[in-house]
Amino acid sequence: MKLKELAEKLNLSQTTVSRALNGYPEVNEATRERVNKAALKFGYSANANARRLAMGRVGAIGLVIPADSSQRFGPHTAEFLAGLAERLSRDEIDFLLSPIVDNDEISVYKRLISSKRVDAIIVSGPVLVDERVSMLIDANFPFVLHGRTNIDRPHAWLDIDNQGAFYQAASHLLDLGHRHIAMIDGLRGFTFSEHRELGYRQALSERGVEIDPRFIVHDYFSDEIGFRETQRLLSCTPQPTAIIAGSMMTALGVSRAVRNKGYQLGKQVSLITHDDVFPYLNASNMVPSMTTTRSSMRSAATRIAEMLVRVLDGEPVDNIHELWPVELTLRQSSGPPIGG
């Protein structure tokens, strides 16, 4: 049975039937169930190759991997790819990973487009004004941006509220009585990192707390950098009584440096970290359990994959953008300052 015949039996459009079979959120549950039952009854099975041929697609999406991805993203990359696979496998869509050569990322994107080996591209790690986004819009090539950039032209994107996350974290520490609060986050220039610093600064400024430039750190997410920078911070006068870390990887190093100093987390030094929900780093199982701002990298990637399919199906990109709130979960690593 062909899709057209199945649609006629159900008295639905081919588009609706196709979307129901592929799990699109726009199709209501009753319609999806009706279509799936009919497909089972009549033995309909979509042929991925035939569908691609009919739609002029190659069945692959492109991702560009920086040469320093192990330092820039670390385990985040694996979580992101797992989330994409979770959704794209339904449509038998493959990944094409392209490495950057000679630090020329734009050339890699242009090569992907001209090669006709991918139907769309996922862009990650945007900076405040990202030329990759402008180039892809100019080329009229389908893409979804993971994050945001200050380019006021319609494009599909998904981001978490990074500014709100660090604002919540800093505000909670201020409510506890902390006045010397440090932040260790990702590299400067990336939108997420700049937004997080804005949230941190906003919270301190609203309470009239002077911002100490020594307490603002931008670097790679790693245990080593978390350890080294925390050692430096704890040698300052005054030293911070609280630290906000941008990643669980950084938080591991912060925790190690605090213990090395003979301090206890949640006592002499409080710690709040951002948790991308790694399966092997559970904030609630750490000792002490970790106060976090929380947003799943894998869930975001799955949603980005859904958005990408919508873009490929011709939905206007003006409507395809989401800003996810970030939850603050209080645990044992944050408490009032000693003597506060």
Side-chain angles (χ1 to χ4, degrees), residues 14 54 76 111 116 121 173 200 206 217 223 308 333:
Q14 292 183 56
H76 300 81
R111 188 176 75 244
K116 302 190 186 305
I121 290 172
L173 292 168
Y200 164 87
E206 284 180 0
V217 178
D223 172 276
L308 197 71
S333 69

Side-chain angles (χ1 to χ4, degrees), residues 150-202:
N150 297 338
I151 292 175
D152 193 21
R153 298 169 68 187
H155 59 278
W157 57 267
L158 181 144
D159 197 9
I160 65 170
D161 185 5
N162 284 293
Q163 181 171 346
F166 269 44
Y167 177 82
Q168 282 187 79
S171 295
H172 172 62
L173 292 168
L174 289 161
D175 288 343
L176 290 171
H178 293 276
R179 291 299 178 267
H180 304 294
I181 303 169
M183 59 162 278
I184 307 174
D185 197 38
L187 292 169
R188 195 176 290 282
F190 289 101
T191 307
F192 79 89
S193 197
E194 299 291 342
H195 283 183
R196 288 176 178 182
E197 184 176 332
L198 284 175
Y200 164 87
R201 287 179 173 275
Q202 180 187 355

Side-chain angles (χ1 to χ4, degrees), residues 96-110:
L96 178 63
L97 303 179
S98 294
I100 296 173
V101 180
D102 297 328
N103 205 32
D104 187 358
E105 196 165 348
I106 289 292
S107 292
V108 179
Y109 282 93
K110 288 179 177 177

Side-chain angles (χ1 to χ4, degrees), residues 292-304:
T292 61
T293 56
R294 193 171 191 268
S295 184
S296 167
M297 175 73 78
R298 185 179 293 223
S299 297
T302 301
R303 186 58 176 161
I304 285 168

Side-chain angles (χ1 to χ4, degrees), residues 38-201:
L40 191 64
K41 177 181 177 182
F42 296 114
Y44 173 80
S45 178
N47 182 288
N49 289 330
R51 186 166 67 245
R52 289 171 189 159
L53 189 63
M55 302 176 97
R57 296 181 188 170
V58 296
I61 58 107
L63 295 106
V64 174
I65 303 296
D68 64 345
S69 61
S70 63
Q71 285 187 297
R72 261 175 57 182
F73 299 108
H76 300 81
T77 305
E79 281 299 289
F80 189 72
L81 291 176
L84 291 179
E86 215 169 90
R87 175 59 184 86
L88 294 177
S89 60
R90 284 196 234 158
D91 288 338
E92 299 179 35
I93 295 175
D94 298 320
F95 305 145
L96 178 63
L97 303 179
S98 294
I100 296 173
V101 180
D102 297 328
N103 205 32
D104 187 358
E105 196 165 348
I106 289 292
S107 292
V108 179
Y109 282 93
K110 288 179 177 177
R111 188 176 75 244
L112 277 174
I113 295 169
S114 61
S115 71
K116 302 190 186 305
R117 291 184 294 164
V118 297
D119 299 311
I121 290 172
I122 292 175
V123 182
S124 292
V127 295
L128 288 172
V129 180
D130 203 301
E131 61 177 328
R132 299 171 300 171
V133 170
S134 295
M135 186 273 292
L136 288 167
I137 293 172
D138 290 340
N140 196 29
F141 195 79
F143 74 96
V144 176
L145 177 66
H146 181 208
R148 278 178 289 170
T149 186
N150 297 338
I151 292 175
D152 193 21
R153 298 169 68 187
H155 59 278
W157 57 267
L158 181 144
D159 197 9
I160 65 170
D161 185 5
N162 284 293
Q163 181 171 346
F166 269 44
Y167 177 82
Q168 282 187 79
S171 295
H172 172 62
L173 292 168
L174 289 161
D175 288 343
L176 290 171
H178 293 276
R179 291 299 178 267
H180 304 294
I181 303 169
M183 59 162 278
I184 307 174
D185 197 38
L187 292 169
R188 195 176 290 282
F190 289 101
T191 307
F192 79 89
S193 197
E194 299 291 342
H195 283 183
R196 288 176 178 182
E197 184 176 332
L198 284 175
Y200 164 87
R201 287 179 173 275

Side-chain angles (χ1 to χ4, degrees), residues 217-269:
V217 178
H218 289 281
D219 212 321
Y220 292 106
F221 291 139
S222 76
D223 172 276
E224 178 193 351
I225 285 161
F227 179 76
R228 187 175 69 236
E229 287 296 337
T230 301
Q231 282 191 313
R232 180 188 64 80
L233 288 166
L234 294 179
S235 69
C236 292
T237 305
Q239 65 183 27
T241 58
I243 297 172
I244 306 171
S247 163
M248 289 290 287
M249 303 306 294
T250 304
L252 290 176
V254 174
S255 302
R256 195 156 52 89
V258 169
R259 289 195 303 271
N260 190 60
K261 183 81 171 175
Y263 292 165
Q264 285 183 280
L265 280 179
K267 301 294 185 182
Q268 290 89 352
V269 178

